[in-house]
């Protein structure tokens, strides 16, 4: 009788659970039993592992074989357990020393020819192994760079089961033929899921993206864009078609600062699980940008799917931007499902197969026409919609959702002078991004001893007690609250925006002018302060 054990990782959302893979050989009729709540793809590993072991030159044990995945109460899915199962079987059959794999974490799918194929979710799996105290992991060569992002973990990247056997038995490591240059690598097919992007884009360097200077006019909206990026405040752009709402939103990622190391790991983990991590790019360094179509369902926005839920648009936009163009055209249920993640920064999805908690701290940008025809303005320029139709259309964005939006800007139609450049060219993305970066640095220094990093994350109680505005600065906001123009949540959000405006202007704390401008950006009611420039006051 032979027994051996090693480890792998089961992913539940973007969180991992270390699974002990045990192999037991007993005399009897040759059979292969796999237990421990495996799904269909994992159950099929019996055939993959057997063929891979034989085609790697090892002998398959002709005994009663039982492979157990512990803890048995955790559902396991995917083909990433193949490598661990094969190693445990070979150790139980004494082809390799069981002691050499007892403290190893092995992650990878096996082809029938013994080659090791990469699987999605390598980064969160290695993070879970490191948190559990494991310091040695074996992964496919294609994902070794992703696994190496985890500090304190020794990573071995292999191409085949033959190479793993040779390493563990101190034999010469055989060379595996690499893919010919110019030919697609079929081994990478399992890493990318076609059609799973939901409009997400991993943004490139701002110098390579669209420039904010291309937007004609819209000085108020450009100022709001800068404030939104500096404090990660949610933004609503409303106005007629062709005013530049989508152009502005598409340039918002360019003025966001690069992700910190911790934020980059969080974003990379989500995209790795979702199958959206580009090959050769193990770490996402720029804030993601997700722009789903208005026909997206509630499940595609917040997450879902058969079996254990998968990340939705709110998680794919984690630490980045979720842009909903033509926001009133989205389903009301889908829009209202955003309310909880907007407050908490995560989404909890309960399904019959289990409960998954996914990160979802994003900057929400909404773009909306004022009415179905798009021509409704305060001056009534050619709109054919009745008042009831306009009210019904605007009510598709519910009050509780809009109460969580800090900045509400009306984009005016572009004038001929702005379109022809007679008013001067607007600031470039680089110039605005530098001011945003400086404001973020000031906020991070102020919040260095707290769990928050941007103004939009500070709870209301902490704002009022630890970070109050200048004496008398909130008088007008408190008056608006008494009139019913602001809710308790609304006044907290005004104070957060005021802190961001103070950071952009270099003020030590928000003054009367900062609060007045924050109120104007939220309510649209003029307060007698200039909002047409991003220069410091």
């Amino acid at each position: 009788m032979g027994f051996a054990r090693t480890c792998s990782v089961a992913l539940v959302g973007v969180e991992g659970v270390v699974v002990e893979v045990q192999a037991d050989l007993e005399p009897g009729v040759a059979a292969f039993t796999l237990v421990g709540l495996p799904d269909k793809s994992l159950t099929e590993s019996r055939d993959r592992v057997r063929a891979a072991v034989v085609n790697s030159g090892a002998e398959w044990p002709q005994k009663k074989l039982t492979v157990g995945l512990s803890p048995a109460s955790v559902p396991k899915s995917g083909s990433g357990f193949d490598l661990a199962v094969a190693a445990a079987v070979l150790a139980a059959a004494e082809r390799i020393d069981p002691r050499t794999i007892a403290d190893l974490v092995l992650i990878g799918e096996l082809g029938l020819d013994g080659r090791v194929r990469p699987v999605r979710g390598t980064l969160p799996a290695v993070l879970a192994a490191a948190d559990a105290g494991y310091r040695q992991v074996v992964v496919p060569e294609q994902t070794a760079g992703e696994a190496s992002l985890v500090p304190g973990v020794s990573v071995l990247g292999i191409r085949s089961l033959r190479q793993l056997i040779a390493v563990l038995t101190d034999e010469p490591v055989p060379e595996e033929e690499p893919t010919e240059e110019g030919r697609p690598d079929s081994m990478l097919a399992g890493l990318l899921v076609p059609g799973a992007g939901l409009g997400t884009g991993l943004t490139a360097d701002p110098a390579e993206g669209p420039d904010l200077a291309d937007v004609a006019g819209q000085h108020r909206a450009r100022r709001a864009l800068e404030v939104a990026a500096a404090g990660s405040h949610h933004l609503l752009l409303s106005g007629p078609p062709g005013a530049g709402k989508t152009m502005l939103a598409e340039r918002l990622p360019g003025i966001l600062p690069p992700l910190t190391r911790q934020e980059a790991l969080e974003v990379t983990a989500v995209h790795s699980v979702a199958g959206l991590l580009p090959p050769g790019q193990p770490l996402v360094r720029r804030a993601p940008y997700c722009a789903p179509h208005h026909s997206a369902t509630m499940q595609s926005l917040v997450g879902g799917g058969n079996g254990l839920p998968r990340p939705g648009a709110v998680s794919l936009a984690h630490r980045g931007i979720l842009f909903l163009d033509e926001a009133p055209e989205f389903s009301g249920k889908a829009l209202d499902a955003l309310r909880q993640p907007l407050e908490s920064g995560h989404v909890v999805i309960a399904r019959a197969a289990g409960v998954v908690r996914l990160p979802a701290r994003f900057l929400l940008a909404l773009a909306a026409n004022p009415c179905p025809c798009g021509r409704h303005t305060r001056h009534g320029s050619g709109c054919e919609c009745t008042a009831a139709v306009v009210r019904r259309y605007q009510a598709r964005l519910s009050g509780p959702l809009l109460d969580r939006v800090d900045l509400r800007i009306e984009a005016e139609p572009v004038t001929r002078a702005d379109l022809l450049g007679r008013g001067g060219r607007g600031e470039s993305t680089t110039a605005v991004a530098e001011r945003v970066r400086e404001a973020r640095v000031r906020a991070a220094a102020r919040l260095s001893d707290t769990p928050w990093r941007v103004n939009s994350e500070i709870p209301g109680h902490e704002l009022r007690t630890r970070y109050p505005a200048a004496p008398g600065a909130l008088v007008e906001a408190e008056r608006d609250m008494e009139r019913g123009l602001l809710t308790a949540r609304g006044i907290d959000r005004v104070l957060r925006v005021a802190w961001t405006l103070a950071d952009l202007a270099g003020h030590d704390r928000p003054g009367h002018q900062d609060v007045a401008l924050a109120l104007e950006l939220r309510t649209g009611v003029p307060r007698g302060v200039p909002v047409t420039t991003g220069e410091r006051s």
Side-chain angles (χ1 to χ4, degrees), residues 140-193:
E141 187 180 57
Q142 293 87 345
T143 55
E146 185 179 340
S148 299
L149 297 173
V150 182
V153 176
S154 175
V155 178
L156 173 62
I158 60 172
R159 292 185 181 180
S160 67
L161 181 59
R162 288 182 290 271
Q163 289 186 341
L164 177 62
I165 295 173
V167 170
L168 295 176
T169 56
D170 292 328
E171 298 174 359
V173 179
E175 292 290 336
E176 298 291 344
E177 295 183 4
T179 303
E180 294 182 13
E181 187 176 353
R183 293 187 59 185
D185 189 354
S186 61
M187 303 290 283
L188 300 176
L191 290 179
L192 299 177
V193 181

Side-chain angles (χ1 to χ4, degrees), residues 276-289:
L276 298 172
L277 197 61
Q281 185 178 333
L283 185 66
V284 179
R285 302 181 185 276
R286 301 293 309 178
Y289 175 80

Side-chain angles (χ1 to χ4, degrees), residues 330-409:
F330 281 78
S331 161
K333 290 183 177 180
L335 290 174
D336 286 337
L338 300 177
R339 286 150 56 176
Q340 184 257 340
L342 284 176
E343 287 290 323
S344 63
H346 64 267
V347 59
V348 178
I349 308 170
R351 295 290 186 270
V355 179
V356 172
R357 183 180 185 273
L358 298 169
R361 188 169 295 282
F362 55 90
L363 191 165
L364 177 65
L366 303 169
N369 291 326
C371 66
C373 76
R375 296 191 296 272
H376 177 75
T377 64
R378 294 175 182 174
H379 310 292
S381 56
C383 176
E384 300 176 354
C385 304
T386 64
V389 170
V390 173
R391 285 195 303 269
R392 190 160 52 246
Y393 186 80
Q394 294 179 350
R396 294 182 182 180
L397 299 178
S398 67
L401 175 63
L402 289 180
D403 198 35
R404 290 165 168 83
V405 178
D406 303 338
L407 310 171
R408 308 173 192 175
I409 303 301

Side-chain angles (χ1 to χ4, degrees), residues 232 234 313-315 317-322 338 341-342 345 360-365:
S232 193
H234 307 308
V314 296
S315 296
H318 180 59
R319 301 295 181 185
I321 299 161
L322 176 63
L338 300 177
L342 284 176
R361 188 169 295 282
F362 55 90
L363 191 165
L364 177 65

Side-chain angles (χ1 to χ4, degrees), residues 53 58-59 85-96 161 165:
V53 167
E59 183 179 351
V85 171
V89 171
L90 290 172
E94 300 182 350
R95 175 63 179 86
I96 57 180
L161 181 59
I165 295 173

Side-chain angles (χ1 to χ4, degrees), residues 13 54 80 172 197 263 288 366 496 528:
V54 173
E263 291 172 344
L366 303 169
R496 291 184 183 119

